[in-house]
Amino acid sequence: MPIVDLYFHSEHRRNLAHFASLASLAAVDGEINPKEKGLLDRFARKLDITNEEYKEVMKKSNKYPITPSNSLEERLERLYDLFKLIYVDHHVDDEEMVLLKKYAIGLGFPIKKANHIIEKTVAIFSGRFNFDDYLYILKH
């Protein structure tokens, strides 16, 4: 197997794990509402999740761990995706805030840095920021 294939499979596994984490968060308040499902569908396309993988992830019995990345930009992008999912209903509740913090720590941010990033993101996030704006704001 060529090394390029190994990289693709490894990248795909990370994307699948990220998607599964997003799906688990969307379902934390019980059921996934139509707006959340629409956003999950877009993430599935963006992350190249197959229909079979999508169906497997969406089973209520499945729980997936968070897979951290060594890249700061990738970790911030995963948090950005998560905030987009959470803010689909235009607010973040206490339970979602706890999960955001756990997710950030699971991605590899130290507790203090995770809290800082989340507090800053909650303060500025409107759903209209693209990732480049989000990255610029968090880095400066």
Side-chain angles (χ1 to χ4, degrees), residues 39-106:
L39 193 53
L40 285 172
D41 291 347
R42 287 196 304 268
F43 284 138
R45 284 189 300 277
K46 177 182 175 184
L47 298 170
D48 293 323
I49 305 302
T50 68
N51 287 336
E52 294 77 25
E53 291 167 333
Y54 186 97
K55 288 175 187 173
E56 184 65 27
V57 165
M58 298 307 284
K59 290 180 181 176
K60 290 185 180 190
S61 61
N62 287 336
K63 303 227 189 286
Y64 293 90
I66 298 170
T67 305
S69 170
N70 291 331
S71 163
L72 173 62
E73 188 169 330
E74 284 179 16
R75 289 184 286 155
L76 289 173
E77 184 174 16
R78 295 193 189 285
L79 276 176
Y80 174 78
D81 288 346
L82 191 53
F83 270 97
K84 281 179 65 175
L85 181 63
I86 287 173
Y87 272 93
V88 89
D89 61 1
H90 305 291
H91 76 280
V92 61
D93 61 33
D94 292 338
E95 193 171 55
E96 289 169 330
M97 184 61 77
V98 169
L99 286 171
L100 275 167
K101 289 179 182 182
K102 286 181 182 179
Y103 190 71
I105 293 166

Side-chain angles (χ1 to χ4, degrees), residues 72-73 75-81 83 109 113-125 129-140:
L72 173 62
E73 188 169 330
R75 289 184 286 155
L76 289 173
E77 184 174 16
R78 295 193 189 285
L79 276 176
Y80 174 78
D81 288 346
F83 270 97
F109 290 107
K113 181 72 172 174
N115 287 333
H116 172 75
I117 289 170
I118 289 169
E119 287 171 15
K120 196 170 188 178
T121 304
V122 167
I124 62 172
F125 201 87
F129 283 97
N130 65 34
F131 178 66
D132 291 336
D133 292 340
Y134 176 75
L135 188 61
Y136 176 80
I137 289 167
L138 287 178
K139 283 187 171 180
H140 295 89

